[in-house]
Amino acid sequence: MMDAAFFRKIYLFQDLEEAEIHQVLSRTGRREFPAGAVIIQEGEPGDSLFIMAAGEVEITKQLTLVLDEDTPKERVMIRLKAENGVYFGEMALLESETRSATVTASTNCSLMELHQKDFLALVEQNPAMGVKLLLRLSQILSRHLRKTNQDVVKLDHRPGHLPGG
């Protein structure tokens, strides 16, 4: 079981008091995935955040433009190792949409899972804690959006071409 000190390393929970961290811990469940297992599948419904306790995962996205048979159909976006508060799936805490990427266990993985319904119950039961969590979540998603915008500009940077113009 993860302890409060481990949770304090996770950016999303860094503003929480000890008692609040224990409230979050009480709502998480442990999940084990063997190497090669798909944890999250792009395009499928998702309703939970995963916090990595041990292991390594690979996050991939389907490519929307496949020019020929030799073009890969997906791209590795990032590899994550369970150290210093790594998590994924945070968008699912706020909306019931399909997953935006595939996450596959590269090694045996031990994860903690927080479902959207449990997250929303925490926010409702303790509004002060809810404000802290929602502010951090907003900052996380804002960073993701900013990085995505930068990546799009890099992809579309051609001589004589102005992105968006």
Side-chain angles (χ1 to χ4, degrees):
M1 180 70 178
M2 289 187 189
D3 61 5
F6 182 88
F7 257 59
R8 190 156 307 285
K9 294 177 183 176
I10 300 165
Y11 181 80
L12 180 60
F13 306 118
Q14 286 178 349
D15 288 339
L16 301 185
E17 303 295 329
E18 190 86 7
E20 293 169 332
I21 288 176
H22 286 287
Q23 287 177 22
V24 174
L25 274 167
S26 72
R27 296 284 192 149
T28 62
R30 190 172 207 74
R31 299 277 311 270
E32 304 292 330
F33 294 89
V38 173
I39 300 165
I40 289 175
Q41 180 66 52
E42 182 176 356
E44 290 187 358
D47 72 343
S48 58
L49 162 81
F50 289 94
I51 300 159
M52 294 183 67
E56 197 172 315
V57 298
E58 185 174 88
I59 300 177
T60 57
K61 282 203 56 68
Q62 293 291 318
L63 296 175
T64 56
L65 179 63
V66 178
L67 301 174
D68 58 37
E69 296 177 6
D70 297 329
T71 303
K73 299 199 177 4
E74 64 181 22
R75 178 177 175 206
V76 175
M77 303 304 287
I78 192 167
R79 288 179 177 83
L80 300 173
K81 292 182 181 182
E83 50 192 40
N84 297 327
V86 174
Y87 56 88
F88 53 87
E90 63 276 5
M91 292 188 320
L93 293 179
L94 296 176
E95 61 181 7
S96 298
E97 292 292 328
T98 58
R99 295 292 192 174
S100 63
T102 297
V103 180
T104 306
S106 302
T107 64
N108 291 340
C109 291
S110 181
L111 309 173
M112 297 301 290
E113 184 175 23
L114 176 62
H115 287 277
Q116 181 190 57
K117 66 179 172 42
D118 293 314
F119 175 78
L120 295 176
L122 286 167
V123 168
E124 186 176 309
Q125 291 166 3
N126 185 341
M129 178 177 66
V131 168
K132 294 178 206 176
L133 288 170
L134 291 169
L135 180 60
R136 285 285 179 149
L137 200 50
S138 298
Q139 292 166 340
I140 291 163
L141 296 174
S142 178
R143 275 194 214 134
H144 292 328
L145 181 59
R146 192 175 332 281
K147 183 179 181 326
T148 299
N149 286 341
Q150 290 169 348
D151 290 347
V152 167
V153 169
K154 287 177 190 172
L155 285 173
D156 199 23
H157 185 70
R158 297 180 300 236
H161 178 75
L162 296 174

